[in-house]
mmCIF file with all atom_site columns, all heavy atoms in Angstrom:
data_model
loop_
_atom_site.group_PDB
_atom_site.id
_atom_site.type_symbol
_atom_site.label_atom_id
_atom_site.label_alt_id
_atom_site.label_comp_id
_atom_site.label_asym_id
_atom_site.label_entity_id
_atom_site.label_seq_id
_atom_site.pdbx_PDB_ins_code
_atom_site.Cartn_x
_atom_site.Cartn_y
_atom_site.Cartn_z
_atom_site.occupancy
_atom_site.B_iso_or_equiv
_atom_site.pdbx_formal_charge
_atom_site.auth_seq_id
_atom_site.auth_comp_id
_atom_site.auth_asym_id
_atom_site.auth_atom_id
_atom_site.pdbx_PDB_model_num
ATOM 1   N N   . CYS K 1 486 ? -14.189 13.051 -11.930 1.00 92.00 ? 486 CYS K N   1
ATOM 2   C CA  . CYS K 1 486 ? -13.091 12.932 -10.924 1.00 92.00 ? 486 CYS K CA  1
ATOM 3   C C   . CYS K 1 486 ? -12.389 11.615 -11.076 1.00 92.00 ? 486 CYS K C   1
ATOM 4   O O   . CYS K 1 486 ? -11.754 11.113 -10.144 1.00 92.00 ? 486 CYS K O   1
ATOM 5   C CB  . CYS K 1 486 ? -13.616 13.100 -9.495  1.00 92.00 ? 486 CYS K CB  1
ATOM 6   S SG  . CYS K 1 486 ? -15.009 12.039 -9.055  1.00 92.00 ? 486 CYS K SG  1
ATOM 7   N N   . VAL K 1 487 ? -12.487 11.004 -12.273 1.00 95.00 ? 487 VAL K N   1
ATOM 8   C CA  . VAL K 1 487 ? -11.770 9.705  -12.552 1.00 95.00 ? 487 VAL K CA  1
ATOM 9   C C   . VAL K 1 487 ? -10.778 10.011 -13.719 1.00 95.00 ? 487 VAL K C   1
ATOM 10  O O   . VAL K 1 487 ? -11.107 10.599 -14.713 1.00 95.00 ? 487 VAL K O   1
ATOM 11  C CB  . VAL K 1 487 ? -12.762 8.604  -13.007 1.00 95.00 ? 487 VAL K CB  1
ATOM 12  C CG1 . VAL K 1 487 ? -12.033 7.334  -13.310 1.00 95.00 ? 487 VAL K CG1 1
ATOM 13  C CG2 . VAL K 1 487 ? -13.818 8.433  -11.935 1.00 95.00 ? 487 VAL K CG2 1
ATOM 14  N N   . THR K 1 488 ? -9.605  9.485  -13.557 1.00 96.00 ? 488 THR K N   1
ATOM 15  C CA  . THR K 1 488 ? -8.532  9.613  -14.585 1.00 96.00 ? 488 THR K CA  1
ATOM 16  C C   . THR K 1 488 ? -8.387  8.302  -15.270 1.00 96.00 ? 488 THR K C   1
ATOM 17  O O   . THR K 1 488 ? -8.149  7.266  -14.639 1.00 96.00 ? 488 THR K O   1
ATOM 18  C CB  . THR K 1 488 ? -7.242  10.020 -13.927 1.00 96.00 ? 488 THR K CB  1
ATOM 19  O OG1 . THR K 1 488 ? -7.313  11.288 -13.305 1.00 96.00 ? 488 THR K OG1 1
ATOM 20  C CG2 . THR K 1 488 ? -6.127  10.100 -14.993 1.00 96.00 ? 488 THR K CG2 1
ATOM 21  N N   . PHE K 1 489 ? -8.547  8.312  -16.628 1.00 98.00 ? 489 PHE K N   1
ATOM 22  C CA  . PHE K 1 489 ? -8.376  7.118  -17.465 1.00 98.00 ? 489 PHE K CA  1
ATOM 23  C C   . PHE K 1 489 ? -7.019  7.284  -18.132 1.00 98.00 ? 489 PHE K C   1
ATOM 24  O O   . PHE K 1 489 ? -6.571  8.281  -18.531 1.00 98.00 ? 489 PHE K O   1
ATOM 25  C CB  . PHE K 1 489 ? -9.445  7.073  -18.560 1.00 98.00 ? 489 PHE K CB  1
ATOM 26  C CG  . PHE K 1 489 ? -10.847 6.654  -18.031 1.00 98.00 ? 489 PHE K CG  1
ATOM 27  C CD1 . PHE K 1 489 ? -11.649 7.581  -17.346 1.00 98.00 ? 489 PHE K CD1 1
ATOM 28  C CD2 . PHE K 1 489 ? -11.301 5.389  -18.278 1.00 98.00 ? 489 PHE K CD2 1
ATOM 29  C CE1 . PHE K 1 489 ? -12.907 7.169  -16.913 1.00 98.00 ? 489 PHE K CE1 1
ATOM 30  C CE2 . PHE K 1 489 ? -12.508 4.927  -17.802 1.00 98.00 ? 489 PHE K CE2 1
ATOM 31  C CZ  . PHE K 1 489 ? -13.393 5.851  -17.113 1.00 98.00 ? 489 PHE K CZ  1
ATOM 32  N N   . GLN K 1 490 ? -6.355  6.084  -18.262 1.00 97.00 ? 490 GLN K N   1
ATOM 33  C CA  . GLN K 1 490 ? -5.146  6.011  -19.017 1.00 97.00 ? 490 GLN K CA  1
ATOM 34  C C   . GLN K 1 490 ? -5.351  4.923  -20.113 1.00 97.00 ? 490 GLN K C   1
ATOM 35  O O   . GLN K 1 490 ? -5.980  3.888  -19.786 1.00 97.00 ? 490 GLN K O   1
ATOM 36  C CB  . GLN K 1 490 ? -3.898  5.666  -18.138 1.00 97.00 ? 490 GLN K CB  1
ATOM 37  C CG  . GLN K 1 490 ? -3.577  6.803  -17.182 1.00 97.00 ? 490 GLN K CG  1
ATOM 38  C CD  . GLN K 1 490 ? -2.192  6.495  -16.481 1.00 97.00 ? 490 GLN K CD  1
ATOM 39  O OE1 . GLN K 1 490 ? -1.835  5.333  -16.298 1.00 97.00 ? 490 GLN K OE1 1
ATOM 40  N NE2 . GLN K 1 490 ? -1.525  7.580  -16.031 1.00 97.00 ? 490 GLN K NE2 1
ATOM 41  N N   . PHE K 1 491 ? -4.792  5.208  -21.275 1.00 97.00 ? 491 PHE K N   1
ATOM 42  C CA  . PHE K 1 491 ? -5.015  4.315  -22.426 1.00 97.00 ? 491 PHE K CA  1
ATOM 43  C C   . PHE K 1 491 ? -3.668  3.880  -22.995 1.00 97.00 ? 491 PHE K C   1
ATOM 44  O O   . PHE K 1 491 ? -2.676  4.594  -22.911 1.00 97.00 ? 491 PHE K O   1
ATOM 45  C CB  . PHE K 1 491 ? -5.811  4.983  -23.529 1.00 97.00 ? 491 PHE K CB  1
ATOM 46  C CG  . PHE K 1 491 ? -7.225  5.333  -23.126 1.00 97.00 ? 491 PHE K CG  1
ATOM 47  C CD1 . PHE K 1 491 ? -7.596  6.587  -22.548 1.00 97.00 ? 491 PHE K CD1 1
ATOM 48  C CD2 . PHE K 1 491 ? -8.205  4.373  -23.263 1.00 97.00 ? 491 PHE K CD2 1
ATOM 49  C CE1 . PHE K 1 491 ? -8.868  6.821  -22.226 1.00 97.00 ? 491 PHE K CE1 1
ATOM 50  C CE2 . PHE K 1 491 ? -9.517  4.640  -22.872 1.00 97.00 ? 491 PHE K CE2 1
ATOM 51  C CZ  . PHE K 1 491 ? -9.841  5.925  -22.419 1.00 97.00 ? 491 PHE K CZ  1
ATOM 52  N N   . GLN K 1 492 ? -3.630  2.555  -23.426 1.00 97.00 ? 492 GLN K N   1
ATOM 53  C CA  . GLN K 1 492 ? -2.499  2.131  -24.188 1.00 97.00 ? 492 GLN K CA  1
ATOM 54  C C   . GLN K 1 492 ? -2.965  1.113  -25.230 1.00 97.00 ? 492 GLN K C   1
ATOM 55  O O   . GLN K 1 492 ? -4.037  0.583  -25.139 1.00 97.00 ? 492 GLN K O   1
ATOM 56  C CB  . GLN K 1 492 ? -1.484  1.453  -23.239 1.00 97.00 ? 492 GLN K CB  1
ATOM 57  C CG  . GLN K 1 492 ? -1.942  0.179  -22.539 1.00 97.00 ? 492 GLN K CG  1
ATOM 58  C CD  . GLN K 1 492 ? -0.939  -0.376 -21.583 1.00 97.00 ? 492 GLN K CD  1
ATOM 59  O OE1 . GLN K 1 492 ? -0.084  0.327  -21.045 1.00 97.00 ? 492 GLN K OE1 1
ATOM 60  N NE2 . GLN K 1 492 ? -0.935  -1.673 -21.394 1.00 97.00 ? 492 GLN K NE2 1
ATOM 61  N N   . CYS K 1 493 ? -2.151  0.883  -26.229 1.00 96.00 ? 493 CYS K N   1
ATOM 62  C CA  . CYS K 1 493 ? -2.523  0.004  -27.344 1.00 96.00 ? 493 CYS K CA  1
ATOM 63  C C   . CYS K 1 493 ? -2.682  -1.424 -26.899 1.00 96.00 ? 493 CYS K C   1
ATOM 64  O O   . CYS K 1 493 ? -2.078  -1.923 -25.959 1.00 96.00 ? 493 CYS K O   1
ATOM 65  C CB  . CYS K 1 493 ? -1.425  0.097  -28.419 1.00 96.00 ? 493 CYS K CB  1
ATOM 66  S SG  . CYS K 1 493 ? -1.403  1.681  -29.276 1.00 96.00 ? 493 CYS K SG  1
ATOM 67  N N   . SER K 1 494 ? -3.563  -2.137 -27.583 1.00 96.00 ? 494 SER K N   1
ATOM 68  C CA  . SER K 1 494 ? -3.870  -3.552 -27.263 1.00 96.00 ? 494 SER K CA  1
ATOM 69  C C   . SER K 1 494 ? -3.362  -4.422 -28.319 1.00 96.00 ? 494 SER K C   1
ATOM 70  O O   . SER K 1 494 ? -3.513  -4.126 -29.587 1.00 96.00 ? 494 SER K O   1
ATOM 71  C CB  . SER K 1 494 ? -5.382  -3.752 -27.076 1.00 96.00 ? 494 SER K CB  1
ATOM 72  O OG  . SER K 1 494 ? -5.717  -5.090 -27.073 1.00 96.00 ? 494 SER K OG  1
ATOM 73  N N   . SER K 1 495 ? -2.745  -5.514 -27.966 1.00 94.00 ? 495 SER K N   1
ATOM 74  C CA  . SER K 1 495 ? -2.249  -6.478 -28.951 1.00 94.00 ? 495 SER K CA  1
ATOM 75  C C   . SER K 1 495 ? -3.347  -7.200 -29.618 1.00 94.00 ? 495 SER K C   1
ATOM 76  O O   . SER K 1 495 ? -3.213  -7.845 -30.683 1.00 94.00 ? 495 SER K O   1
ATOM 77  C CB  . SER K 1 495 ? -1.351  -7.502 -28.277 1.00 94.00 ? 495 SER K CB  1
ATOM 78  O OG  . SER K 1 495 ? -2.062  -8.231 -27.237 1.00 94.00 ? 495 SER K OG  1
ATOM 79  N N   . GLU K 1 496 ? -4.615  -7.123 -29.068 1.00 94.00 ? 496 GLU K N   1
ATOM 80  C CA  . GLU K 1 496 ? -5.749  -7.756 -29.719 1.00 94.00 ? 496 GLU K CA  1
ATOM 81  C C   . GLU K 1 496 ? -6.442  -6.949 -30.819 1.00 94.00 ? 496 GLU K C   1
ATOM 82  O O   . GLU K 1 496 ? -7.257  -7.389 -31.532 1.00 94.00 ? 496 GLU K O   1
ATOM 83  C CB  . GLU K 1 496 ? -6.846  -8.035 -28.647 1.00 94.00 ? 496 GLU K CB  1
ATOM 84  C CG  . GLU K 1 496 ? -6.369  -9.050 -27.571 1.00 94.00 ? 496 GLU K CG  1
ATOM 85  C CD  . GLU K 1 496 ? -7.442  -9.382 -26.574 1.00 94.00 ? 496 GLU K CD  1
ATOM 86  O OE1 . GLU K 1 496 ? -8.649  -9.275 -26.963 1.00 94.00 ? 496 GLU K OE1 1
ATOM 87  O OE2 . GLU K 1 496 ? -7.133  -9.713 -25.423 1.00 94.00 ? 496 GLU K OE2 1
ATOM 88  N N   . SER K 1 497 ? -5.940  -5.682 -30.981 1.00 95.00 ? 497 SER K N   1
ATOM 89  C CA  . SER K 1 497 ? -6.484  -4.852 -31.981 1.00 95.00 ? 497 SER K CA  1
ATOM 90  C C   . SER K 1 497 ? -5.906  -5.148 -33.377 1.00 95.00 ? 497 SER K C   1
ATOM 91  O O   . SER K 1 497 ? -4.720  -4.945 -33.613 1.00 95.00 ? 497 SER K O   1
ATOM 92  C CB  . SER K 1 497 ? -6.187  -3.359 -31.595 1.00 95.00 ? 497 SER K CB  1
ATOM 93  O OG  . SER K 1 497 ? -6.915  -2.538 -32.452 1.00 95.00 ? 497 SER K OG  1
ATOM 94  N N   . THR K 1 498 ? -6.749  -5.649 -34.201 1.00 94.00 ? 498 THR K N   1
ATOM 95  C CA  . THR K 1 498 ? -6.294  -6.105 -35.632 1.00 94.00 ? 498 THR K CA  1
ATOM 96  C C   . THR K 1 498 ? -6.885  -5.233 -36.681 1.00 94.00 ? 498 THR K C   1
ATOM 97  O O   . THR K 1 498 ? -6.774  -5.548 -37.899 1.00 94.00 ? 498 THR K O   1
ATOM 98  C CB  . THR K 1 498 ? -6.707  -7.576 -35.812 1.00 94.00 ? 498 THR K CB  1
ATOM 99  O OG1 . THR K 1 498 ? -8.103  -7.707 -35.677 1.00 94.00 ? 498 THR K OG1 1
ATOM 100 C CG2 . THR K 1 498 ? -6.015  -8.520 -34.857 1.00 94.00 ? 498 THR K CG2 1
ATOM 101 N N   . ASN K 1 499 ? -7.537  -4.098 -36.299 1.00 93.00 ? 499 ASN K N   1
ATOM 102 C CA  . ASN K 1 499 ? -8.194  -3.272 -37.327 1.00 93.00 ? 499 ASN K CA  1
ATOM 103 C C   . ASN K 1 499 ? -7.709  -1.837 -37.262 1.00 93.00 ? 499 ASN K C   1
ATOM 104 O O   . ASN K 1 499 ? -8.253  -0.954 -37.845 1.00 93.00 ? 499 ASN K O   1
ATOM 105 C CB  . ASN K 1 499 ? -9.729  -3.297 -37.131 1.00 93.00 ? 499 ASN K CB  1
ATOM 106 C CG  . ASN K 1 499 ? -10.460 -2.843 -38.368 1.00 93.00 ? 499 ASN K CG  1
ATOM 107 O OD1 . ASN K 1 499 ? -10.156 -3.201 -39.481 1.00 93.00 ? 499 ASN K OD1 1
ATOM 108 N ND2 . ASN K 1 499 ? -11.462 -1.986 -38.163 1.00 93.00 ? 499 ASN K ND2 1
ATOM 109 N N   . GLY K 1 500 ? -6.608  -1.650 -36.592 1.00 91.00 ? 500 GLY K N   1
ATOM 110 C CA  . GLY K 1 500 ? -5.957  -0.292 -36.591 1.00 91.00 ? 500 GLY K CA  1
ATOM 111 C C   . GLY K 1 500 ? -6.292  0.574  -35.417 1.00 91.00 ? 500 GLY K C   1
ATOM 112 O O   . GLY K 1 500 ? -5.675  1.681  -35.261 1.00 91.00 ? 500 GLY K O   1
ATOM 113 N N   . THR K 1 501 ? -7.142  0.260  -34.549 1.00 95.00 ? 501 THR K N   1
ATOM 114 C CA  . THR K 1 501 ? -7.483  1.071  -33.401 1.00 95.00 ? 501 THR K CA  1
ATOM 115 C C   . THR K 1 501 ? -6.265  1.134  -32.419 1.00 95.00 ? 501 THR K C   1
ATOM 116 O O   . THR K 1 501 ? -5.730  0.058  -32.114 1.00 95.00 ? 501 THR K O   1
ATOM 117 C CB  . THR K 1 501 ? -8.754  0.588  -32.653 1.00 95.00 ? 501 THR K CB  1
ATOM 118 O OG1 . THR K 1 501 ? -9.887  0.815  -33.500 1.00 95.00 ? 501 THR K OG1 1
ATOM 119 C CG2 . THR K 1 501 ? -8.938  1.281  -31.357 1.00 95.00 ? 501 THR K CG2 1
ATOM 120 N N   . GLY K 1 502 ? -5.959  2.298  -31.956 1.00 95.00 ? 502 GLY K N   1
ATOM 121 C CA  . GLY K 1 502 ? -4.932  2.478  -30.974 1.00 95.00 ? 502 GLY K CA  1
ATOM 122 C C   . GLY K 1 502 ? -5.225  3.675  -30.162 1.00 95.00 ? 502 GLY K C   1
ATOM 123 O O   . GLY K 1 502 ? -6.343  4.228  -30.121 1.00 95.00 ? 502 GLY K O   1
ATOM 124 N N   . VAL K 1 503 ? -4.183  4.182  -29.489 1.00 96.00 ? 503 VAL K N   1
ATOM 125 C CA  . VAL K 1 503 ? -4.323  5.342  -28.611 1.00 96.00 ? 503 VAL K CA  1
ATOM 126 C C   . VAL K 1 503 ? -4.621  6.608  -29.464 1.00 96.00 ? 503 VAL K C   1
ATOM 127 O O   . VAL K 1 503 ? -5.450  7.431  -29.119 1.00 96.00 ? 503 VAL K O   1
ATOM 128 C CB  . VAL K 1 503 ? -3.101  5.569  -27.669 1.00 96.00 ? 503 VAL K CB  1
ATOM 129 C CG1 . VAL K 1 503 ? -3.198  6.887  -26.933 1.00 96.00 ? 503 VAL K CG1 1
ATOM 130 C CG2 . VAL K 1 503 ? -2.907  4.386  -26.774 1.00 96.00 ? 503 VAL K CG2 1
#
Side-chain angles (χ1 to χ4, degrees):
C486 53
V487 181
T488 299
F489 285 77
Q490 290 189 336
F491 293 94
Q492 67 182 26
C493 294
S494 167
S495 60
E496 297 184 24
S497 188
T498 58
N499 198 43
T501 289
V503 174

